[in-house]
Amino acid sequence: MLEELAATYSQERERILSGAFSMRMNTVREILDGSQNSTEDASVQLSYPVHRVNTSLVLWTTEHAISIDSRIFEPLAQRLARSASATEILCVPSGARGLWVWMVTGNDDDPAIDSALVPPGVRVAVGRPGMGIDGFRRTHREALEAQRVASRGQQCLPVTTYRDVELVSMLASRPDAMNTFVKRELQGLLGDDETSARLRNTLRAVLSHPGNFEAAARQLDVHKNTVRYRVQQIEKRLGRRIIHRALHLELALDCFDTFGASAIADVPTEQKGHGELAN
């Protein structure tokens, strides 16, 4: 009789948990597709405060890490949430190799996600905080967009935040336009040689410290006269002053740094390298 009671209890518990899981999945789907707009009902069905400020995470494994057990995702999400001082967390599987997460951190600031907690082979994308049911949707869309940029990008970072790739993601949604934009703005600096790479790094530093060659030199650990010389070489290759369309240059560098060669498809051969030396 005890064995029968134990078996019956286990079956009933599994049925209840399965029903609760299905309800949670259906509620999340309804929120995301816009058919559920009642914050109060959604909060009750999910046992999660949808009305608060939510931040979405997307966890997934890379193609080279398919052997990773997906059961590590939820404990990892819990650790990441604790590191960000989250007070509530909601986890929903997104297939065999991923997890969707929402968490409440108590304020509108972007939470600090500790990348040191993310094991090799696992990636994390983070949306920006959003209030209520609309924020629940928006932060998730942003996390998915950050995931898309991270998956396409050449930098295999453990954590990618939408805040850091927002502008790049807008251009990346139109690859042809992005390629044209990068090639037009960085014409003459897109070579795969060491000199071109050094000039791009110098351009990035100079744009980070407008008009302050000394600060750029400190960042690059070179003499300020070296920065001046390199700027002359950069402007010679660009065919214009750096101060002209500086914002466009910075955004083009962001795209190039994120996507690498894929952001400059079909670059003309003569643009691949220039002979002058950048000290």
Side-chain angles (χ1 to χ4, degrees):
M1 183 178 295
L2 288 174
E3 291 177 354
E4 290 179 3
L5 285 172
T8 301
Y9 170 79
S10 296
Q11 292 170 2
E12 185 68 10
R13 183 174 183 273
E14 184 176 345
R15 184 184 66 80
I16 293 172
L17 291 175
S18 177
F21 175 78
S22 296
M23 177 180 290
R24 186 165 68 246
M25 291 290 292
N26 288 335
T27 300
V28 168
R29 278 195 286 264
E30 289 172 356
I31 292 174
L32 296 180
D33 66 21
S35 60
Q36 170 60 280
N37 288 300
S38 170
T39 300
E40 183 177 351
D41 290 346
S43 297
V44 171
Q45 291 165 6
L46 294 174
S47 298
Y48 173 84
V50 175
H51 62 282
R52 303 276 298 278
V53 176
N54 303 279
T55 299
S56 176
L57 310 180
V58 174
L59 280 65
W60 78 101
T61 59
T62 63
E63 294 180 359
H64 304 294
I66 57 175
S67 61
I68 291 179
D69 191 334
S70 62
R71 286 177 295 184
I72 73 166
F73 283 145
E74 193 157 338
L76 172 59
Q78 295 282 355
R79 292 195 298 273
L80 292 173
R82 285 195 298 271
S83 74
S85 301
T87 57
E88 304 282 348
I89 184 171
L90 171 67
C91 298
V92 176
S94 61
R97 294 171 53 196
L99 185 73
W100 291 349
V101 180
W102 287 263
M103 62 184 187
V104 175
T105 55
N107 55 57
D108 296 336
D109 297 331
D110 290 278
I113 303 300
D114 188 353
S115 60
L117 296 176
V118 182
V122 176
R123 309 282 296 279
V124 180
V126 188
R128 304 205 69 176
M131 173 72 79
I133 202 163
D134 289 334
F136 186 96
R137 297 187 188 102
R138 178 178 57 76
T139 185
H140 180 63
R141 288 196 301 268
E142 292 175 350
L144 291 177
E145 187 63 24
Q147 179 192 26
R148 184 174 73 89
V149 172
S151 298
R152 286 184 52 194
Q154 62 175 354
Q155 301 175 356
C156 191
L157 301 175
V159 177
T160 300
T161 65
Y162 183 73
R163 174 193 59 204
D164 292 337
V165 300
E166 183 172 10
L167 293 178
V168 169
S169 72
M170 294 178 188
L171 279 175
S173 63
R174 298 181 57 200
D176 291 343
M178 181 183 69
N179 293 347
T180 300
F181 172 75
V182 172
K183 287 188 286 187
R184 180 177 63 240
E185 296 301 325
L186 297 180
Q187 180 77 22
L189 297 175
L190 295 174
D192 56 8
D193 57 290
E194 183 179 349
T195 299
S196 295
R198 187 181 298 117
L199 292 178
R200 288 193 299 269
N201 289 337
T202 300
L203 178 58
R204 167 67 73 191
V206 171
L207 291 173
S208 299
H209 305 281
N212 191 337
F213 284 2
E214 290 187 1
R218 286 195 298 271
Q219 178 178 326
L220 296 167
D221 195 24
V222 298
H223 194 276
K224 68 177 180 180
N225 288 340
T226 300
V227 173
R228 293 182 186 279
Y229 174 77
R230 290 182 186 176
V231 168
Q232 292 174 0
Q233 299 303 309
I234 291 168
E235 293 180 341
K236 180 180 179 181
R237 290 190 180 198
L238 292 176
R240 66 180 188 275
R241 299 287 304 279
I242 289 177
I243 59 173
H244 298 155
R245 297 171 65 85
L247 180 60
H248 295 72
L249 283 173
E250 191 165 7
L251 182 54
L253 282 172
D254 285 341
C255 292
F256 184 85
D257 291 344
T258 300
F259 298 111
S262 64
I264 53 168
D266 302 321
V267 175
T269 303
E270 63 269 17
Q271 194 175 307
K272 290 292 185 180
H274 289 245
E276 61 265 31
L277 175 66
N279 292 332

